[in-house]
Amino acid sequence: AQKVTQAQTEISVVEKEDVTLDCVYETRDTTYYLFWYKQPPSGELVFLIRRNSFDEQNEISGRYSWNFQKSTSSFNFTITASQVVDSAVYFCALSGVSSNTGKLIFGQGTTLQVKP
Amino acid sequence: EPEVTQTPSHQVTQMGQEVILRCVPISNHLYFYWYRQILGQKVEFLVSFYNNEISEKSEIFDDQFSVERPDGSNFTLKIRSTKLEDSAMYFCASGTAPDTQYFGPGTRLTVL
């Protein structure tokens, strides 16, 4: 079975603080993809990143960075110098190749509130 | 940039009524999906569609649900007899391959 766990339900920080959102996944697939999506208050799902299971290189995109560690089945997301506009629900998701359909399994989401 | 569109943005219906949620995927995409998100909860997979047939469906996707790609551009989700618990945001997604999905803005369905 595939599962994604985001243990942090809500996080509140003050602007300019760094914040890390945790994601732990379970899968029996050796090939899989991991994703992060942002859901702002307007409700749409905004794609942030996709990683495949063979690429453990950390990635940085502006203030965003991702730390993928297969040894701990984690794919954590860090926002550096957070801003009020970062306030949203963030979802981690998993897609295993065995299903061959691309079905995404989402975590419960972490609500990030960035206060001015 | 091409995007997935969904109509309507908000649908209100009475319990027991049929609803059809419409999606226009990105034109060269071959893989299509519906997901739902009950308010305050996580996004859940409903169904995937490829080559004019359902490729996978979840336990949620029971006989009350159906999908169709009637004309090569639209991708619809029909709920035959809505229940209160069908109230949710429904997201359509499409992709050129199973590992990449682009989401639409969602349709909020309210069942009264």
Side-chain angles (χ1 to χ4, degrees), chain B residues 14-100:
Chain B
Q14 296 289 328
M15 191 169 55
Q17 295 296 305
E18 174 183 288
V19 294
I20 297 176
L21 309 183
R22 302 186 194 289
C23 169
V24 179
I26 296 172
S27 63
N28 62 336
H29 286 186
L30 302 174
Y31 296 82
F32 312 106
Y33 307 85
W34 283 101
Y35 293 83
R36 84 169 184 192
Q37 184 183 29
I38 295 171
L39 185 64
Q41 298 187 22
K42 68 178 179 181
V43 180
E44 300 174 290
F45 169 78
L46 288 178
V47 66
S48 59
F49 192 86
Y50 171 72
N51 202 24
N52 285 320
E53 61 183 21
I54 291 173
S55 48
E56 187 172 358
K57 59 184 180 180
S58 71
E59 293 173 355
I60 304 167
F61 195 87
D62 61 21
D63 292 345
Q64 291 299 312
F65 291 88
S66 62
V67 290
E68 201 174 40
R69 189 156 159 77
D71 55 12
S73 62
N74 290 284
F75 181 50
T76 61
L77 174 69
K78 182 194 290 187
I79 308 175
R80 286 189 185 79
S81 178
T82 50
K83 305 172 193 161
L84 294 176
E85 54 264 37
D86 293 327
S87 294
M89 180 78 94
Y90 289 81
F91 291 101
C92 172
S94 70
T96 55
D99 59 357
T100 305

Side-chain angles (χ1 to χ4, degrees), chain A residues 2-5 23-27 31-37 47-56 59 66-70 72-76 91-97 103-107, chain B residues 99-100:
Chain A
Q2 299 184 332
K3 187 178 177 182
V4 175
T5 302
C23 173
V24 174
Y25 62 92
E26 295 174 31
T27 180
T31 303
Y32 51 89
Y33 295 89
L34 295 164
F35 303 79
W36 276 95
Y37 287 88
F47 168 81
L48 294 178
I49 190 171
R50 181 192 75 168
R51 267 354 255 276
N52 75 52
S53 51
F54 297 109
D55 183 2
E56 285 195 73
E59 181 154 341
W66 290 269
N67 183 349
F68 176 29
Q69 293 198 344
K70 276 176 95 166
T72 56
S73 297
S74 65
F75 186 44
N76 297 337
F91 290 98
C92 180
L94 165 71
S95 176
V97 171
K103 172 180 76 174
L104 289 174
I105 305 297
F106 284 82
Chain B
D99 59 357
T100 305

